[in-house]
């Protein structure tokens, strides 16, 4: 940074420089795993990464942002980045350099190198969560990012991805989270059998989102509304206001029979129109919001 608070006046301009190539390698999984670092691209993702970085530094914890590269035009448009990036290694870069670093065809003017932010499953469960989204064999990075973003918006306590799911640090997945990756705990590589067993030990219900499920999500919400009005809970199928872990399956096949067998109940989102089914992101959003609304104070 120079004396004005802006990175050095001479931007990084050679797209073939070793530093540029080193950053660009993080678009690939091998380099990410080896260095336990990933790329956050664009103003929204980098802003949220820097906010989390600052909170950790203020709390006496290690930060997560190692390097920030930004164009002059980006800093002119978003002057707050100069203050947010003060604790990091920040450098100016030309558009050609940012294009070489970034995974996108059209770079958004800023890229950050971040440390992995995932946490252990035990840390999530020991915190007493009330709402968890579990992605089982979800392979598409865009879908994984969308569900993580929906979980964040619904106020979920964590997102868990099984070992057979996509790498959430894939650049497309990171972009799809729109910064939500830095807002709530994320567990990677979980064993769904272990997760279900641990949830049940802690009194966390396990629900499977299944288009052929016997329970109807609307009915569960109606039962919750009745209880809020003081009606008897007798005969209730499942108390949606209870701590819950939702299982969401693969985009094409859904949840396997083994995964479905782990759930306390299989719950269907009703389809009132002619569509065959809902896509993963939409179904997950509806389910998570149903639980979140039911868990709100009366």
């Amino acid at each position: 940074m120079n004396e004005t608070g802006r990175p050095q006046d001479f931007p990084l301009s050679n797209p073939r420089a070793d530093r540029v190539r080193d950053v660009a390698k993080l678009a690939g999984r091998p380099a990410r795993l080896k260095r336990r670092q990933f790329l956050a691209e664009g103003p929204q993702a980098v802003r949220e990464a820097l906010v989390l970085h600052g909170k950790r530094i203020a709390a006496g914890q290690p930060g997560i942002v190692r390097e920030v590269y930004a164009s002059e035009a980006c800093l002119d448009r978003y002057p707050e980045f100069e203050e947010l990036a003060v604790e990091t290694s920040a450098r100016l870069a030309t558009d050609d350099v940012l294009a070489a670093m970034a995974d996108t065809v059209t770079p958004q003017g800023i890229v950050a190198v971040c440390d992995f932010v995932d946490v252990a499953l035990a840390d999530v469960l020991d915190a007493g969560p009330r709402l968890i989204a579990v992605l089982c064999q979800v392979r598409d990075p865009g879908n994984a990012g969308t569900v993580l973003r929906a979980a964040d918006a619904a106020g979920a306590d964590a997102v868990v991805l099984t070992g057979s799911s996509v790498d959430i640090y894939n650049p497309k997945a990171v972009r799809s989270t729109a910064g939500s990756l830095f807002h709530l705990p994320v567990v990677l590589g979980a064993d769904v059998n272990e997760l279900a067993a641990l949830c049940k030990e802690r009194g966390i219900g396990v629900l499977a989102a299944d288009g052929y499920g016997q329970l109807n999500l609307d009915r569960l919400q109606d039962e919750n509304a009745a209880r809020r009005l003081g009606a008897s809970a007798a005969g209730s199928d499942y108390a949606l206001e209870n701590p819950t872990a939702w299982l969401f399956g693969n985009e094409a096949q859904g949840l396997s029979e083994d995964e479905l067998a782990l759930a306390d109940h299989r719950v269907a989102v009703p389809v009132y129109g002619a569509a065959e089914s809902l896509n993963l992101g939409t179904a997950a959003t509806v389910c998570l919001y149903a639980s979140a609304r039911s868990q709100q104070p009366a």
Side-chain angles (χ1 to χ4, degrees):
M1 305 286 282
N2 62 24
E3 62 183 7
T4 67
R6 176 158 288 194
Q8 82 289 346
D9 294 327
F10 300 100
L12 192 61
S13 59
N14 182 3
R16 292 177 293 278
D18 289 343
R19 180 188 290 264
V20 178
R21 292 178 177 177
D22 192 49
V23 172
K25 287 179 181 178
L26 292 175
R29 182 176 172 83
R32 292 198 297 271
L33 292 177
K34 180 179 180 180
R35 293 159 54 181
R36 289 192 58 79
Q37 293 180 329
F38 69 103
L39 290 179
E41 304 171 25
Q44 178 66 19
V46 175
R47 181 185 294 106
E48 299 310 315
L50 288 170
V51 168
L52 177 59
H53 178 85
K55 288 180 178 178
R56 290 196 175 187
I57 294 294
Q61 302 171 350
I64 64 160
V65 180
R66 297 301 156 210
E67 302 167 10
V68 176
Y69 300 91
S71 67
E72 282 274 15
C74 180
L75 293 182
D76 288 340
R77 185 174 182 183
Y78 303 102
E80 68 271 21
F81 280 118
E82 295 178 22
E83 180 178 353
L84 288 171
V86 69
E87 298 288 345
T88 69
S89 174
R91 297 200 61 176
L92 286 174
T94 64
D95 289 338
D96 287 344
V97 164
L98 292 170
M101 288 179 173
D103 179 67
T104 51
V105 175
T106 304
Q108 300 180 62
I110 189 165
V111 172
V113 175
C114 305
D115 291 338
F116 281 6
V117 294
D118 52 283
V119 301
L121 177 61
D123 293 339
V124 167
L125 296 179
D126 289 346
R130 293 191 57 78
L131 183 56
I132 302 173
V134 184
L135 303 186
C136 302
Q137 302 186 66
V138 173
R139 307 288 169 74
D140 184 84
N143 284 337
T146 297
V147 175
L148 197 153
R149 184 178 181 183
D152 180 23
D157 297 293
V159 173
V160 178
L161 290 89
T162 63
S164 53
S165 289
V166 69
D167 178 7
I168 197 64
Y169 297 122
N170 177 298
K172 183 178 179 181
V174 175
R175 288 195 300 273
S176 296
T177 72
S180 289
L181 177 61
F182 304 104
H183 293 169
L184 75 170
V186 177
V187 178
L188 303 181
D191 179 274
V192 68
N193 294 279
E194 177 188 17
L195 168 66
L198 291 173
C199 283
K200 292 175 183 181
E201 286 178 7
R202 289 164 169 77
I204 301 172
V206 179
L207 298 182
D210 176 22
Y212 301 99
Q214 293 183 336
L215 294 191
N216 181 296
L217 185 62
D218 279 359
R219 177 176 174 178
L220 296 184
Q221 294 184 90
D222 289 344
E223 291 172 353
N224 170 266
R227 283 189 293 273
R228 285 172 176 261
L229 295 174
S232 171
S236 174
D237 292 311
Y238 180 82
L240 203 58
E241 60 269 29
N242 287 346
T244 300
W246 278 97
L247 305 184
F248 303 110
N250 176 269
E251 296 87 347
Q253 287 81 36
L255 292 164
S256 69
E257 285 301 321
D258 289 341
E259 291 163 345
L260 288 169
L262 297 173
D264 298 313
H265 300 283
R266 305 179 185 186
V267 182
V269 177
V271 176
Y272 297 111
E276 178 185 5
S277 63
L278 297 174
N279 65 27
L280 170 63
T282 302
T285 301
V286 172
C287 293
L288 291 169
Y289 264 89
S291 283
R293 178 65 186 90
S294 298
Q295 292 176 358
Q296 296 303 306

